[in-house]
């Protein structure tokens, strides 16, 4: 199938599919005319990529995890670096959550102590 059909089947734009290819996440075959050719396995691969992106993983991390992925959900099978990568991504996510929580506290404090502007009385 060509890129347009893969986009239709997966709900992912052709632009994103080309980006996934640039990142090494998809490796389509090429026709004699140079067109990208995808198979059924590529629809599963795109669903795996989307699911892993939804988990907050970067495309770089996903590239390392895809060899461990089976099924469209995906299920991650034990393979080299899997636990190290997932633990690192989880630690990064926890750090971002901590930063956002601190920022939220500061903003809430500013809001709580801010004085409302004096209201102008209509004549």
């Amino acid at each position: 199938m060509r890129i347009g059909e893969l986009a239709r089947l997966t709900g992912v734009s052709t632009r994103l599919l080309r980006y996934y290819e640039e990142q090494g996440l998809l490796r389509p075959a090429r026709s004699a005319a140079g067109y990208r050719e995808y198979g059924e396995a590529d629809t599963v691969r795109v669903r795996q990529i989307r699911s892993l992106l939804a988990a907050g993983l970067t495309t770089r991390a996903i590239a390392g995890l895809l060899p461990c992925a089976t099924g469209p959900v995906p299920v991650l099978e034990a393979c080299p670096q899997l636990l190290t990568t997932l633990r690192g991504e989880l630690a990064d996510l926890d750090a971002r959550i901590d930063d956002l929580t601190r920022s939220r506290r500061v903003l809430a404090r500013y809001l709580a102590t801010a004085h409302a502007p004096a209201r102008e009385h209509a004549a």
Side-chain angles (χ1 to χ4, degrees), residues 23 50 52 68 72-73:
Q23 298 301 306
R50 299 302 298 164
L52 293 167
C68 309
V73 172

Side-chain angles (χ1 to χ4, degrees), residues 25-26 30 45 55 73 75 84 104-105 108:
L25 304 177
L26 287 175
R30 293 284 181 160
R45 177 57 51 107
V73 172
V75 172
T84 301
R104 187 188 188 291
R105 259 188 256 124

Side-chain angles (χ1 to χ4, degrees), residues 23-25 27 45 52 58-68:
Q23 298 301 306
L25 304 177
R27 292 183 180 88
R45 177 57 51 107
L52 293 167
T58 64
T59 55
R60 183 176 175 185
I62 291 170
L65 295 177
L66 280 176
C68 309

Side-chain angles (χ1 to χ4, degrees), residues 5-73:
E5 186 175 351
L6 181 63
R8 184 183 58 76
L9 288 173
T10 60
V12 175
S13 72
T14 57
R15 183 171 178 257
L16 261 180
L17 294 172
R18 287 187 198 99
Y19 174 74
Y20 296 162
E21 183 181 352
E22 288 171 14
Q23 298 301 306
L25 304 177
L26 287 175
R27 292 183 180 88
R30 293 284 181 160
S31 70
Y35 292 109
R36 292 171 177 85
E37 293 184 343
Y38 298 93
E40 185 58 36
D42 292 309
T43 61
V44 172
R45 177 57 51 107
V46 171
R47 289 185 179 107
Q48 291 171 340
I49 293 166
R50 299 302 298 164
S51 181
L52 293 167
L53 284 168
L57 296 171
T58 64
T59 55
R60 183 176 175 185
I62 291 170
L65 295 177
L66 280 176
C68 309
T70 58
V73 172

Side-chain angles (χ1 to χ4, degrees), residues 95-109:
R96 289 192 309 236
I97 290 169
D98 289 345
D99 288 344
L100 287 170
T101 301
R102 276 190 294 279
S103 294
R104 187 188 188 291
R105 259 188 256 124
V106 170
L107 285 174
R109 204 170 27 242

